[in-house]
Amino acid sequence: MGRGKIDIKRIENSTSRQVTFSKRRGGLLKKTHELSVLCDAQIGLIIFSTKGKLFEYCTHPLSMGEIIERYLRVTETRIPERDSREEVFKEMTKMRKETHHLELSLQCYKGDLSSVRYNDLDELERQLEQSLNKVQARKFQLLQQQLDNLQRTEKMLEKENQDMYHWLMSNHVQKQQEADLEIHQHAMTELKLMGQQQQQQVLDHEFPFYGEEQQPSGALQLQPENLPFQLYPPYRLQPSQPNLQDPTLHPPAGYIW
């Protein structure tokens, strides 16, 4: 399918208009170059965009001035000469007035009011009042900003101070708890040692020989031969097959085999 027919009219959308201008400008310059090369034609193309930007094409090796001059010569037209003296005079007059006004303003600001007229003084007074009001407003604005900054700094410092106080108090409480726990543990250890010492003293008092591995040298040592009587009668080892005729082997009456 071919392209649809486009109405030749101004594009209202600026973005679409700029895109179309860029595309068609490139195509026009390309076609102009092709025409100049293929047909050996001398072409000068001048394009101004909506914003006043210049785009041009000129057949090499000619310049745009040469082509315009040839056009004027062929068409027998002249570019009218423009007399700029009147514009220069107007511009000079305007600059003189501005310079004089600046000089007067400078003299007024320096305090030299000898050459100032009454109307000028009235205008100067009004300007000074406006300037004074602006200075006072700016001064008040800066003071208010400084005050706001100081208040924010004060709040920040107060918050930091409170945080530091809470941190110190928490550390103090924690250290106090640790110290109390250490004192409690130390007291429990001492009580335990005191209890063990008291228990040992009671045992030593009630059972003087409790826990002694060896008796002292001065204590009475009971030996079997020192006993006043023998708990058990002496026994003799009998042979496995005793001689019944040996009278020494017969046990006395009352002995049990």
Side-chain angles (χ1 to χ4, degrees):
M1 296 179 64
R3 296 182 179 178
K5 188 176 181 181
I6 300 175
D7 295 336
I8 304 301
K9 63 179 182 179
R10 183 176 182 272
I11 300 174
E12 298 298 333
N13 191 349
S14 59
T15 304
S16 301
R17 185 169 60 248
Q18 182 64 31
V19 172
T20 304
F21 173 77
S22 300
K23 290 181 179 179
R24 300 216 171 192
R25 182 199 66 206
L28 179 60
L29 293 174
K30 182 179 179 182
K31 292 296 183 181
T32 304
H33 174 69
E34 291 176 355
L35 180 61
S36 174
V37 174
L38 293 175
C39 301
D40 194 17
Q42 297 178 359
I43 303 175
L45 177 64
I46 299 175
I47 303 173
F48 286 98
S49 66
T50 307
K51 296 181 179 179
K53 191 174 182 181
L54 172 65
F55 301 92
E56 64 178 6
Y57 174 81
C58 183
T59 302
H60 186 74
L62 299 177
S63 64
M64 185 62 66
E66 294 175 351
I67 292 178
I68 293 175
E69 184 179 357
R70 184 176 178 182
Y71 168 78
L72 294 176
R73 186 171 61 251
V74 170
T75 58
E76 295 181 356
T77 56
R78 276 186 160 186
I79 299 176
E81 295 182 0
R82 187 176 180 181
D83 190 5
S84 59
R85 289 179 295 179
E86 185 178 356
E87 293 183 357
V88 171
F89 179 76
K90 291 181 180 180
E91 187 70 21
M92 289 179 63
T93 305
K94 182 180 178 181
M95 292 179 65
R96 285 176 181 174
K97 289 182 179 180
E98 291 180 355
T99 304
H100 180 68
H101 180 71
L102 291 174
E103 289 178 353
L104 292 177
S105 299
L106 184 61
Q107 290 178 1
C108 294
Y109 285 120
K110 287 183 178 180
D112 185 7
L113 304 178
S114 58
S115 61
V116 182
R117 296 176 298 177
Y118 177 80
N119 295 332
D120 296 336
L121 289 174
D122 192 11
E123 179 67 18
L124 179 62
E125 182 180 5
R126 187 181 62 82
Q127 292 180 359
L128 289 175
E129 288 179 354
Q130 292 179 355
S131 301
L132 181 60
N133 293 331
K134 290 180 180 179
V135 170
Q136 291 177 350
R138 180 58 179 170
K139 183 179 179 182
F140 178 77
Q141 183 181 2
L142 292 176
L143 290 176
Q144 188 65 32
Q145 291 178 358
Q146 293 179 359
L147 181 61
D148 295 339
N149 293 331
L150 290 175
Q151 289 178 353
R152 284 195 296 268
T153 305
E154 182 181 4
K155 291 181 180 179
M156 188 183 301
L157 292 175
E158 287 180 356
K159 186 177 182 303
E160 291 180 357
N161 190 13
Q162 292 178 359
D163 295 340
M164 183 66 68
Y165 175 76
H166 292 315
W167 182 75
L168 290 174
M169 290 299 297
S170 61
N171 287 344
H172 177 71
V173 171
Q174 184 178 1
K175 289 181 179 179
Q176 187 67 28
Q177 291 177 355
E178 291 178 355
D180 295 341
L181 181 60
E182 185 177 358
I183 293 173
H184 179 69
Q185 292 178 353
H186 183 67
M188 292 298 294
T189 305
E190 290 183 353
L191 290 174
K192 186 176 180 181
L193 293 175
M194 291 175 62
Q196 291 179 356
Q197 291 177 1
Q198 291 178 0
Q199 184 179 5
Q200 186 67 31
Q201 291 177 1
V202 170
L203 291 175
D204 293 341
H205 183 268
E206 297 293 335
F207 305 97
F209 301 104
Y210 176 76
E212 296 182 357
E213 296 180 356
Q214 295 183 358
Q215 295 179 355
S217 59
L220 178 62
Q221 300 191 12
L222 301 178
Q223 301 294 335
E225 59 272 13
N226 294 332
L227 293 174
F229 58 90
Q230 294 183 357
L231 297 176
Y232 302 98
Y235 290 91
R236 294 182 180 180
L237 295 176
Q238 301 295 331
S240 60
Q241 294 180 358
N243 189 0
L244 298 178
Q245 295 180 359
D246 189 357
T248 60
L249 297 177
H250 292 281
Y255 272 63
I256 301 173
W257 290 91

